Amino acid sequence: MFNRLAPILLLLTCRAANAYTGNELYTDLRELRKITDGQPSKAAINVGKATGYVQGLRDMGDVIGLFCTPNQAPLSQVIDVVFVYLEKNPKDRHDTALILINHALVKAFPCPAKK
């Protein structure tokens, strides 16, 4: 099990200077909300980046057991969970998006304890 978690733990502790930050993710997800509400946005490519980033980390985290999103939970619900987490934790948005998405999803969708 540790062999599967080691690369992820390493990623979670690394902070590259050019990493996608929580501030950038929050801005991009706000643009997604504008588009969803029918408002125009000039940041469609950033919305796609944010959506893909959340989906990729969701898939990875589910596979290795960091969190357990319900199978029936659509991506839009997962994005809402991440957005609300970022909205409620502005003091942490300077951190990497990878870490913040992980925090949000672990809190919202913990895996059941193994017997």
Side-chain angles (χ1 to χ4, degrees):
M1 178 71 166
F2 181 76
N3 289 339
R4 289 174 43 191
L5 287 178
I8 301 307
L9 294 174
L10 180 62
L11 280 175
L12 291 175
T13 59
C14 293
R15 296 199 167 111
N18 61 347
Y20 191 36
T21 69
N23 285 313
E24 293 167 317
L25 178 62
Y26 182 69
T27 298
D28 295 343
L29 292 179
R30 281 193 355 229
E31 287 298 314
L32 174 60
R33 290 234 165 149
K34 284 172 59 175
I35 292 170
T36 303
D37 291 341
Q39 299 175 26
S41 173
K42 295 182 180 178
I45 194 155
N46 292 346
V47 167
K49 176 177 73 173
T51 302
Y53 203 82
V54 171
Q55 178 65 54
L57 291 175
R58 172 200 186 171
D59 291 346
M60 179 188 67
D62 277 336
V63 167
I64 65 170
L66 290 175
F67 42 80
C68 296
T69 57
N71 290 336
Q72 65 275 22
L75 178 59
S76 59
Q77 179 182 350
V78 174
I79 288 172
D80 286 345
V81 166
V82 171
F83 182 81
V84 168
Y85 180 86
L86 292 172
E87 201 166 44
K88 289 185 176 183
N89 295 281
K91 67 183 180 0
D92 298 329
R93 284 191 219 141
H94 65 278
D95 223 333
T96 65
L98 183 147
I99 290 171
L100 296 172
I101 292 168
N102 182 62
H103 285 212
L105 298 182
V106 165
K107 185 176 178 182
F109 304 113
C111 293
K114 294 185 181 182
K115 297 178 182 179

